[in-house]
Amino acid sequence: MIRIEEIVDKVRRNHPQADLDLLRRAYFFSAREHRGQTRASGEPYLVHPLEVANILAEMRLDEVPVATGLLHDVVEDTLVEAEAIRQYFGDEIAHLVEGLTKIAQISNASREEQQAENFRKMLLAMVDDVRIVLIKLADRLHNMRTLSYLKPEKRQRIAQETLDIYAPIAHRLGMGRLRGELEDLALQHLHPDEYRALAAQLEARRAEHEAFLKMVTSRIEEKLHEAEVPVTSVEGRIKRLYSVWKKLKLQKIELDQVYDLVAARIVTPNEVRHCYAALGVVHNTWLPVPGRIKDWIATPRDNLYRSLHTSVIGSEGQPFEVQIRTEEMHRIAEEGVAAHWKYKEGNRGTHDDDEAFNWLRSLVEWTQEVKDSRDFLESIKLDLYPKDVYAFTPMGRVIQLPRGATPVDFAYAIHSQVGHTCTGARIHGRIVPLRAPLQNGDVVEILTSPNAHPSRDWLNFSVTSRARNRVRHWVAEQQRAESMEIGRKLFEKEAARFQLSAKKLLSDGDTGFKRVASDYGYGRVDDLMAAIGYGKLVPRNVIAKYLGPEKFAELEERKESRLRNGVREGVQAVKRLIYAGDDSITVRGVDDLLITRARCCSPVHGEGIVGYITLGKGVAVHADRCKNVLQLMVNPERIVEVDWTGRAATAAYGVKLLAITENRTGMIAGITGAISDMKTGIRDARAAISSDNRGRIEVTVEIFDVKHLDKVIRAIRKVPGVLDVERMEGGA
Ligand code: MN
C-alpha cells in the first residue's frame, strides 16, 4: 500500500507552500471512517483513496484536490455527513466532496438515460469547478486499474462507460496520458481476445520498431546538433494499443498499413521558433509527405493541444510521423487542464479568460436543451471526438475539412473566388446541393457561375471559419452598400425639408461636411450615410450639427412657416413610385427605396401602416395592427413614416380569413359562393371541425384594399350559419 508520506512528499515538491498537515488530517479521517471496509480485491478500502490521492499528486495538483482525493468516498460510502467534512476541512473541500457525491448518485433510470445523466453531471461539475472532474477521473483511473477483481458483467459495463464518457472528457481536457491509459484499460476488458492478439502482434515487432526509432531519433539529434537548433529531448513512441485497434477497425486495414504506428517526438526549450527551426531540419533530412504538415502551434486545438506534426518518408521508403513541441506544450499535451488550470481566489470553475474552454460552456448550455437522453449521448459522442473529413478535388488534391463540412466549405478551401461563385457541386459525378455534408473520400467538383454570389443562407450549413468569414464579409459589404443607399436617401429627404442641397453637402469640397462625419467618429461621409441607413443616427440631428444651433433654429422656423403657408414641400410634390418590391407604398418624402410588405401581417391597401428600416433589406412595411410592431418600436430611430400611394391598388394580395360556423353541410359552398358574388378571387379554402363542434373554414381571398376587405368580410357574415369572421395573421 502506498504510504501517505510519499504523497505528502510529492505535493511538497510541486507546492513548497502547501499545507501538508491538511493532507495528514484528511488521511487519518479517511482511515478511520473506512476502517473495516475492503475492496473487491480483498485489500483494505483505504488503498483506493490513497491511490486516487497519489494520481492527483502526480498531476502536480496542490494539497486541496489531493486531500479531497483522500476523502472522496467518505460521504458516499460511510456514515459521515457532508456537514462533518465542512466542519473539519472547510468550505472548499466540502464543496468538492459534495460535487463528487452528486456525480455518484445513481437514479433508477434506464442504462442509456443514466449514462446521459452522468455525462450531464460531469459537464456541470466541470463548469462549477474543474477540479471535481479531475478527482473523478483519478477515481475512475484507479478503478480501471483494479477492474479485473470485479465480475465480468460489471467489468464490461464500467469499461464501456469509461470509453463513452471518461476518456472523451479526459481528451477534451487535453489530458493525453490519462486518456490513453483509460482507453487501453477499457479495451483490455471489453475485447480481451482482440487486445491480447494485437498486443502479441506489436510485441513481435517491438525489436524492429525500436531499432527503427533509435535510428531515426539519433539521426534527428545529429542533424539538429549540426544546425545548432537547441533541443531538450528526442524520443520515439509507438502508437497506443487502443489507437491502433481503432484505426484497424475503422479503416479495415492491416497493421502494416498503419503509417503512423511509430513516431519521433522532438521537445525543444520553451521558444516557438525552435520548433519551426527543427521542422526545417526534419524536412531537409527526409522528404515530407505533402499535405500532412499540421501546425497546431499557430492554431491550437480547442483542448489546448499545441504541436507541429509532419509525416516524412524514411530512407527505406517507410513513412513516419514527427511531432515537434516545446517543453511547456509537451506538458500540456500530457497533462492538459491539470497543467494549465489557473486557480483564482474566490473564483472557481471556468474563467472567462480561458477562451479554450468556450466549447465547454456552449456544450453545457446545449445539454440543457436536449431532452432525449439517447440522442443526447449520441450527439455528445460526436462532439467529443471531432474528426476531420478528407475530400479530394478532381485533380486529386486532398482538402481536409472538419466533420459536417459542405461543398461551400470545400469551395472556399480551394479559393475564395471559387467560393463566391459556387452554385452547386458534383460528388463522384452526381449533382448534390450545396448543403450536403461531405463524407470521407468524396471527390468533389465545384460548379461555379460567373454571376453567382454568396448567400446569407450559407451560414446555416458552412462550418469552416474560412468559409464563414468570407460569406459574412460579403453579406456585411452588401448590407453596408444598401445601408449607405438608404442613409443617403433619408438624408436627402431631411435636407430638402430645410431647403438644403444634399448633393452639394455630400460632395464635400468646401462645405466642410467631412468635418461633421469626423465629429461623429466616421472617417468618410459614406460611413456617416451608412450609419443613418442602419438607424444609428437621425438625419435631422446630423443637419443640426452641420448648421450649428442658431442657423438650425432659423431654418427650422422658416420651414415651419412654409408649412403654415400651405407650401407643399418640394420633395412631397414629386413623390414617385417605388422602383422595386411594392409599387403602392412610398416612404413619406423619399423616392426609390426598396420596400417590402412584411409577411407577418401583409397589410392591404388603405390599412394603417408603418415602415421599419431593416438591415440590408430596405424598408419593411407592417400593418399597425401587427403584433411585431410593438417590438420594433424598441428602435424608434428606425421607424419611418410610409404612405399608400394615391392611386388604386393594381395588384391583389392574399388575405387569410377564418370563419367560425355552425357544424352543418354546405358551409364551405355558401362562403365561397358569397365571396365570388363579390367578384373576389379565392386562392385557397379549407374546412375543419373544432373540438367544440364548430366549423372552422379558412379561406385565402384576393384583396385590393381595405374597403374591399371590409365588404368581403361583411358578405361572409351574412351567409346563414356563419357565427363570426376574422382576419388571420399572415397572408401571401
Ligand atoms: Mn472512489
Side-chain angles (χ1 to χ4, degrees):
M1 191 187 330
I2 186 166
R3 290 166 41 246
I4 181 65
E5 286 308 315
E6 283 176 60
I7 297 170
V8 169
D9 281 347
K10 276 179 198 163
V11 174
R12 186 195 291 125
R13 235 174 328 201
N14 294 313
H15 303 275
Q17 312 294 325
D19 173 8
L20 300 175
D21 193 43
L22 175 72
L23 291 174
R24 297 193 182 99
R25 285 196 295 126
Y27 168 72
F28 286 123
F29 190 91
S30 184
R32 193 184 66 203
E33 296 305 328
H34 286 301
R35 187 164 40 208
Q37 295 178 341
T38 51
R39 302 200 89 214
S41 61
E43 292 173 296
Y45 194 89
L46 188 61
V47 171
H48 173 65
L50 268 171
E51 288 292 344
V52 170
N54 186 46
I55 291 168
L56 292 163
E58 278 177 353
M59 289 180 192
R60 308 190 212 193
L61 298 177
D62 64 21
E63 73 274 22
V64 172
V66 175
T68 309
L70 289 167
L71 297 167
H72 80 273
D73 276 332
V74 165
V75 173
E76 204 203 325
D77 291 344
T78 75
L79 298 173
V80 172
E81 298 286 334
E83 199 39 48
I85 301 284
R86 191 178 309 279
Q87 234 175 327
Y88 288 117
F89 299 100
D91 285 343
E92 195 178 9
I93 288 183
H95 182 81
L96 294 174
V97 172
E98 253 169 69
L100 286 157
T101 311
K102 245 184 245 165
I103 296 176
Q105 273 155 7
I106 294 168
S107 61
N108 40 12
S110 77
R111 175 71 50 81
E112 275 107 349
E113 280 166 356
Q114 255 180 47
Q115 270 210 8
E117 190 52 38
N118 276 343
F119 213 117
R120 240 182 283 234
K121 282 181 189 164
M122 290 281 278
L123 293 175
L124 292 172
M126 236 187 284
V127 177
D128 177 21
D129 189 327
V130 81
R131 291 176 297 178
I132 296 173
V133 176
L134 298 184
I135 298 162
K136 189 69 203 167
L137 286 171
D139 179 29
R140 176 53 59 117
L141 180 59
H142 183 242
N143 285 336
M144 285 300 292
R145 283 177 181 167
T146 51
L147 199 58
S148 44
Y149 296 102
L150 300 185
K151 287 201 189 84
E153 192 203 273
K154 207 170 174 191
R155 233 187 279 171
Q156 290 266 329
R157 180 177 65 74
I158 292 175
Q160 188 65 51
E161 192 187 46
T162 299
L163 270 190
D164 284 345
I165 296 185
Y166 293 88
I169 285 180
H171 172 52
R172 275 306 206 161
L173 292 177
M175 307 169 76
R177 196 168 36 202
L178 189 138
R179 169 206 177 191
E181 191 178 346
L182 286 178
E183 284 177 344
D184 283 355
L185 285 167
L187 179 65
Q188 194 182 337
H189 289 284
L190 275 177
H191 304 286
D193 296 339
E194 291 177 46
Y195 180 90
R196 262 194 301 276
L198 188 57
Q201 252 183 306
L202 282 171
E203 184 57 35
R205 294 170 200 220
R206 210 173 66 191
E208 180 194 329
H209 288 148
E210 280 174 357
F212 180 76
L213 282 172
K214 194 158 186 312
M215 184 272 285
V216 165
T217 52
S218 56
R219 184 90 189 275
I220 289 175
E221 272 171 351
E222 184 191 310
K223 290 284 176 184
L224 288 175
H225 184 74
E226 274 171 29
E228 293 178 7
V229 177
V231 64
T232 307
S233 68
V234 181
E235 276 160 23
R237 80 149 200 27
I238 298 174
K239 207 175 174 62
R240 281 185 300 103
L241 225 135
Y242 177 77
S243 303
V244 178
W245 177 81
K246 209 170 65 173
K247 197 154 207 167
L248 298 183
K249 277 265 145 143
L250 281 179
Q251 304 186 356
K252 303 200 170 54
I253 51 175
E254 296 295 313
L255 196 56
D256 297 331
Q257 295 164 278
V258 180
Y259 68 88
D260 58 351
L261 195 59
V262 295
R265 185 177 290 149
I266 304 173
V267 178
T268 74
N270 280 331
E271 264 182 79
V272 169
R273 64 190 167 97
H274 299 324
C275 295
Y276 290 100
L279 181 70
V281 170
V282 169
H283 284 175
N284 275 335
T285 310
W286 295 285
L287 196 65
V289 180
R292 293 221 44 102
I293 303 166
K294 288 188 203 126
D295 187 348
W296 304 113
I297 291 180
T299 50
R301 285 178 173 166
D302 54 12
N303 66 2
L304 310 173
Y305 181 85
R306 298 176 79 199
S307 197
L308 295 173
H309 290 192
T310 185
S311 292
V312 294
I313 313 275
S315 39
E316 275 137 58
Q318 181 188 1
F320 62 97
E321 193 177 66
V322 182
Q323 304 174 349
I324 307 169
R325 49 177 85 147
T326 65
E327 289 165 27
E328 176 68 12
M329 292 172 196
H330 182 55
R331 204 176 139 211
I332 286 176
E334 298 274 299
E335 299 172 29
V337 72
H340 173 270
W341 209 257
K342 302 185 282 281
Y343 291 105
K344 290 184 185 163
E345 237 170 326
N347 186 5
R348 289 185 297 223
T350 49
H351 298 299
D352 291 342
D353 51 3
D354 284 312
E355 254 181 58
F357 289 92
N358 278 342
W359 65 270
L360 188 78
R361 264 182 291 272
S362 57
L363 200 59
V364 171
E365 271 162 33
W366 175 63
T367 63
Q368 280 145 3
E369 288 162 25
V370 182
K371 286 275 146 38
D372 188 290
S373 36
R374 209 164 310 188
D375 278 2
F376 170 74
L377 198 62
E378 269 314 302
S379 45
I380 283 283
K381 274 193 210 163
L382 291 183
D383 204 66
L384 284 169
Y385 275 130
K387 270 267 188 46
D388 292 337
V389 169
Y390 296 87
F392 299 85
T393 67
M395 303 302 286
R397 190 176 139 205
V398 182
I399 305 284
Q400 183 190 354
L401 295 164
R403 179 201 291 267
T406 56
V408 169
D409 295 297
F410 188 91
Y412 277 101
I414 294 173
H415 193 280
S416 350
Q417 205 44 40
V418 177
H420 277 345
T421 56
C422 72
T423 56
R426 229 180 251 143
I427 293 179
H428 300 303
R430 258 188 39 237
I431 301 235
V432 299
L434 283 175
R435 57 167 65 241
L438 299 179
Q439 309 294 328
N440 254 332
D442 278 353
V443 177
V444 185
E445 182 190 346
I446 297 293
L447 309 172
T448 61
S449 150
N451 301 323
H453 57 74
S455 149
R456 189 197 303 251
D457 186 40
W458 292 1
L459 293 173
N460 296 327
F461 52 78
S462 53
V463 298
T464 55
S465 50
R466 183 182 166 86
R468 298 179 65 78
N469 287 340
R470 298 288 147 99
V471 174
R472 260 196 223 111
H473 184 75
W474 195 90
V475 170
E477 281 290 297
Q478 207 63 13
Q479 280 186 353
R480 194 184 122 80
E482 278 164 24
S483 299
M484 245 163 59
E485 187 71 11
I486 291 171
R488 191 176 294 270
K489 299 240 155 86
L490 291 171
F491 180 77
E492 277 171 11
K493 160 196 153 189
E494 194 65 26
R497 281 190 182 158
F498 287 89
Q499 294 193 303
L500 295 167
S501 160
K503 262 206 188 87
K504 229 172 158 186
L505 286 178
L506 297 184
S507 69
D508 199 28
D510 49 33
T511 63
F513 202 73
K514 207 161 176 196
R515 175 188 54 81
V516 178
S518 73
D519 278 358
Y520 278 109
Y522 297 105
R524 296 180 314 169
V525 173
D526 277 351
D527 297 330
L528 182 68
M529 291 302 119
I532 293 174
Y534 276 126
K536 286 186 203 151
L537 294 176
V538 181
R540 198 181 130 86
N541 297 347
V542 174
I543 286 174
K545 186 159 217 139
Y546 170 69
L547 293 173
E550 275 170 38
K551 182 93 174 154
F552 180 72
E554 184 194 318
L555 287 186
E556 177 115 298
E557 171 55 30
R558 232 193 280 165
K559 181 183 87 177
E560 292 299 320
S561 75
R562 267 201 324 280
L563 281 178
R564 275 196 298 276
N565 296 335
V567 179
R568 296 185 67 199
E569 282 179 66
V571 167
Q572 290 246 343
V574 293
K575 196 189 276 178
R576 271 189 286 143
L577 294 179
I578 301 304
Y579 76 92
D582 199 302
D583 68 353
S584 61
I585 306 171
T586 57
V587 174
R588 196 166 288 169
V590 183
D591 292 341
D592 295 350
L593 270 185
L594 176 64
I595 303 262
T596 49
R597 228 176 258 231
R599 286 185 142 256
C600 48
C601 52
S602 54
V604 290
H605 202 98
E607 259 192 293
I609 46 176
V610 290
Y612 183 78
I613 303 171
T614 62
L615 293 186
K617 282 198 241 155
V619 174
V621 175
H622 293 260
D624 53 16
R625 65 181 157 81
C626 175
K627 59 177 188 243
N628 291 331
V629 167
L630 210 63
Q631 272 171 288
L632 301 184
M633 289 297 178
V634 174
N635 299 315
E637 69 285 351
R638 286 161 67 176
I639 301 284
V640 290
E641 286 179 81
V642 284
D643 291 328
W644 297 101
T645 49
R647 66 174 65 183
T650 51
Y653 289 91
V655 173
K656 222 184 212 180
L657 299 175
L658 170 67
I660 305 291
T661 69
E662 290 169 11
N663 183 10
R664 55 155 124 149
T665 53
M667 284 312 308
I668 201 162
I671 288 172
T672 52
I675 295 169
S676 46
D677 284 351
M678 301 292 304
K679 307 265 180 297
T680 299
I682 298 173
R683 284 190 193 166
D684 184 47
R686 56 191 69 193
I689 306 293
S690 67
S691 54
D692 56 353
N693 200 31
R694 295 273 159 90
R696 283 175 60 92
I697 295 173
E698 287 178 26
V699 275
T700 306
V701 289
E702 296 191 328
I703 296 296
F704 285 97
D705 59 29
V706 74
K707 276 187 204 142
H708 180 197
L709 180 63
D710 279 346
K711 281 187 197 157
V712 171
I713 289 178
R714 252 177 286 144
I716 299 173
R717 284 220 168 95
K718 282 188 197 144
V719 175
V722 170
L723 303 168
D724 195 14
V725 183
E726 61 186 65
R727 188 171 173 185
M728 295 174 77
E729 287 291 324

